[in-house]
Amino acid sequence: MFKAILINKDEKGYRADLAELDETDLPAGEVLVKVLYSTLNYKDGLAITGKGPVVRAFPMVPGIDFAGEVLDSSSPDYQPGDQVILNGWGVGEGYWGGLAQKARVKAEWLIPLPKGLTPKQTLAIGTAGYTAMLCVMALQQHGLQPSAGEVLVTGAAGGVGSFATMLMSKLGFTVVASSGRPEESAYLHQLGASEVIERASLSTPGKPLAKERWAAVIDSVGSHTLANACAAVKSNGAVAACGLAQGMDFPTTVAPFILRGITLYGINSVTVDKAKRISAWEQLSQLCDFTIVNAIAHEISLAEAIPLAADLIAGKIRGRLIVDVNR
């Protein structure tokens, strides 16, 4: 038997509970993993609270990522004792995920634990840090250099935003952090932000074009925030969009794209090919300063993930929540 968060939807309603499960309850897959750490991400918060249509089958174990040790494998790629991580692939949505003490998954969804990182360090970075790294890689591919000017990071006090701020600063860029929590200004400066601006300056309807300011943007917010960010990007600049905390809508025009030639990169962290995943994690292992990461990430127990999911959706959580599933 093992513990897991289990989401059900039936005549009793929608609910998430801490449950005792058996290995026979687990879905099919080539690799059985003893989960050591998972995290509580925005998508997990939506799943646990039922605030968004994330869960596609019931019952469901949430948790879009995990790090652990292989217990059993029918795949030649993994042997018992191997340490592995998983991000995305629909786990926690259509397939049982990592907020449990055991998981059984497809071998192709796993990658080896990055060299130089422990399971806990890897999940301190987690899907949020990995997604931020994919955003950074898109801007690097675009050819962005620190000399181009300021980079805007929206939702900067959240998980993705915190890592985006740290990573871009570490790479020598001048980062301007946007947040609706002015009390987090000291924290954002600690991550490397040169300036912190109020979220309200971006989150309401704006003009199709604004004064050019940003060389690039990493956005995890969407809606008016993304539209206003695009409107102020410099000619031939770029935006990496990876989230929808404000909304799925994108109320803008083609003006920034056809008059300034900006590029919008959509960042999907769920189904990235293995080689790119490994490359992202290699860069994370080199760039992450764990004196800073430890300020971003906070550890909680499996049971605590359920009540804290509502706080996460409400924007009350700073940085990352690591879940030690074995306490």
Side-chain angles (χ1 to χ4, degrees):
M1 302 295 289
F2 63 94
K3 293 180 180 179
I5 293 176
L6 193 67
I7 299 172
N8 276 287
K9 183 180 181 182
D10 52 28
E11 66 277 0
K12 297 180 182 179
Y14 190 104
R15 62 196 186 280
D17 301 296
L18 190 62
E20 289 274 350
L21 301 176
D22 188 88
E23 279 186 20
T24 57
D25 296 320
L26 290 168
E30 296 94 354
V31 185
L32 176 66
V33 179
K34 176 185 178 182
V35 179
L36 299 175
Y37 294 95
S38 185
T39 60
L40 190 66
N41 294 277
Y42 190 81
K43 191 177 287 184
D44 301 319
L46 292 174
I48 291 170
T49 61
K51 296 290 186 181
V54 171
V55 178
R56 300 194 296 271
F58 296 92
M60 177 58 57
V61 173
I64 66 171
D65 56 17
F66 64 76
E69 182 178 306
V70 173
L71 293 173
D72 187 49
S73 173
S74 61
S75 167
D77 294 334
Y78 298 102
Q79 303 299 320
D82 288 349
Q83 292 190 316
V84 294
I85 61 171
L86 183 148
N87 304 94
W89 296 112
V91 298
E93 302 173 72
Y95 196 93
W96 283 19
L99 286 170
Q101 293 174 325
K102 291 184 180 180
R104 186 183 286 122
V105 296
K106 294 182 179 181
E108 65 194 75
W109 295 347
L110 298 168
I111 64 170
L113 188 77
K115 291 180 180 178
L117 296 181
T118 66
K120 184 175 179 179
Q121 287 175 326
T122 304
L123 266 290
I125 298 168
T127 294
Y130 159 68
T131 302
M133 190 69 238
L134 292 176
C135 292
V136 172
M137 289 167 67
L139 298 181
Q140 290 173 326
Q141 178 185 337
H142 191 77
L144 186 69
Q145 297 294 326
S147 58
E150 295 175 317
V151 174
L152 171 69
V153 175
T154 67
V160 174
S162 292
F163 274 95
T165 300
M166 180 190 71
L167 292 169
M168 293 302 285
S169 175
K170 187 84 171 179
L171 289 167
F173 290 89
T174 301
V175 179
V176 176
S178 166
S179 176
R181 290 179 267 173
E183 68 275 13
E184 301 292 7
S185 291
Y187 163 73
L188 292 169
H189 284 298
Q190 180 187 359
L191 296 184
S194 63
E195 182 183 350
V196 179
I197 62 173
E198 173 56 47
R199 174 177 62 194
S201 65
L202 295 166
S203 62
T204 56
K207 298 178 179 179
L209 283 176
K211 183 179 179 181
E212 294 184 42
R213 178 172 181 182
W214 316 118
V217 177
I218 295 178
D219 175 70
S220 60
V221 178
S223 191
H224 291 292
T225 298
L226 176 57
N228 287 321
C230 287
V233 171
K234 294 179 179 180
S235 293
N236 302 311
V239 178
C242 65
L244 43 68
Q246 186 180 1
M248 290 183 66
D249 58 321
F250 185 35
T252 190
T253 72
V254 297
F257 304 96
I258 64 173
L259 298 180
R260 291 183 180 162
I262 76 165
T263 300
L264 178 61
Y265 292 98
I267 306 301
N268 166 29
S269 65
V270 177
T271 55
V272 177
D273 67 79
K274 189 171 183 177
K276 190 171 184 179
R277 286 172 184 267
I278 291 173
S279 175
W281 278 104
E282 285 177 347
Q283 291 192 63
L284 284 164
S285 69
Q286 296 165 11
L287 288 172
C288 284
D289 178 345
F290 279 90
T291 60
I292 297 177
V293 172
N294 291 337
I296 298 174
H298 311 278
E299 186 179 313
I300 62 172
S301 69
L302 186 60
E304 288 175 301
I306 297 175
L308 285 172
D311 289 342
L312 180 66
I313 297 303
K316 297 178 181 179
I317 301 295
R318 170 214 279 183
R320 308 268 299 120
L321 292 175
I322 313 170
V323 182
D324 180 347
V325 300
N326 295 297
R327 76 171 179 89

